[in-house]
Amino acid sequence: MNSLKNKVQLIGNLGNDPEMVTLENGNKLAKFSIATNETYKNATGEKVTDTQWHNIVAWGKIAEIVENFLVKGKEVAIEGKLISRSYETKEGEKRYITEIKCNELLMLGK
């Protein structure tokens, strides 16, 4: 491997309707979360489903597609990169968040 890439691919379902933000310059931002599920059998043979939640952000044309076509429960495939950032709450507490910046989106299912 001559170069490593920051690349994420996920298939999951939207947990809520997307939150849309229109910036002063007219650019659109879509924020939403998707759930991915992994099913396995534990040591006693019981079926266990592990659900992970992922925060997604999409900009520009992809945000417009999200706004027009995605709703809670919709199955999507996402390709993007991990972005970590921090912010300060009103109380002065520092918080950290990891998001996936969506570069490609594919709507799946019905």
Side-chain angles (χ1 to χ4, degrees):
M1 292 190 293
N2 57 359
S3 67
L4 298 175
K5 303 275 185 202
N6 178 356
K7 184 175 180 180
V8 176
Q9 294 178 321
L10 298 171
I11 296 175
N13 297 86
L14 271 73
N16 289 309
D17 289 341
E19 175 188 336
M20 297 303 301
V21 177
T22 302
L23 303 176
E24 289 178 13
N25 63 6
N27 284 349
K28 290 200 174 189
L29 165 65
K31 298 179 183 182
F32 57 99
S33 62
I34 65 171
T36 56
N37 296 311
E38 180 181 359
T39 305
Y40 61 92
K41 289 189 178 181
N42 64 14
T44 61
E46 294 176 85
K47 184 178 172 182
V48 177
T49 301
D50 179 33
T51 302
Q52 296 290 318
W53 288 93
H54 311 276
N55 296 316
I56 314 293
V57 293
W59 293 90
K61 298 251 187 236
I62 296 174
E64 290 175 18
I65 292 168
V66 169
E67 180 179 34
N68 293 323
F69 297 105
L70 296 188
V71 294
K72 179 180 178 177
K74 182 76 175 164
E75 186 178 27
V76 293
I78 299 285
E79 184 173 293
K81 67 179 186 174
L82 284 176
I83 303 214
S84 296
R85 60 183 176 88
S86 64
Y87 64 95
E88 213 169 278
T89 65
K90 292 176 184 175
E91 294 79 30
E93 189 177 328
K94 194 164 192 174
R95 298 272 172 96
Y96 298 90
I97 188 167
T98 299
E99 301 169 316
I100 298 161
K101 179 181 179 278
C102 179
N103 297 325
E104 291 189 42
L105 174 105
L106 180 62
M107 293 177 280
L108 304 172
K110 295 179 182 182

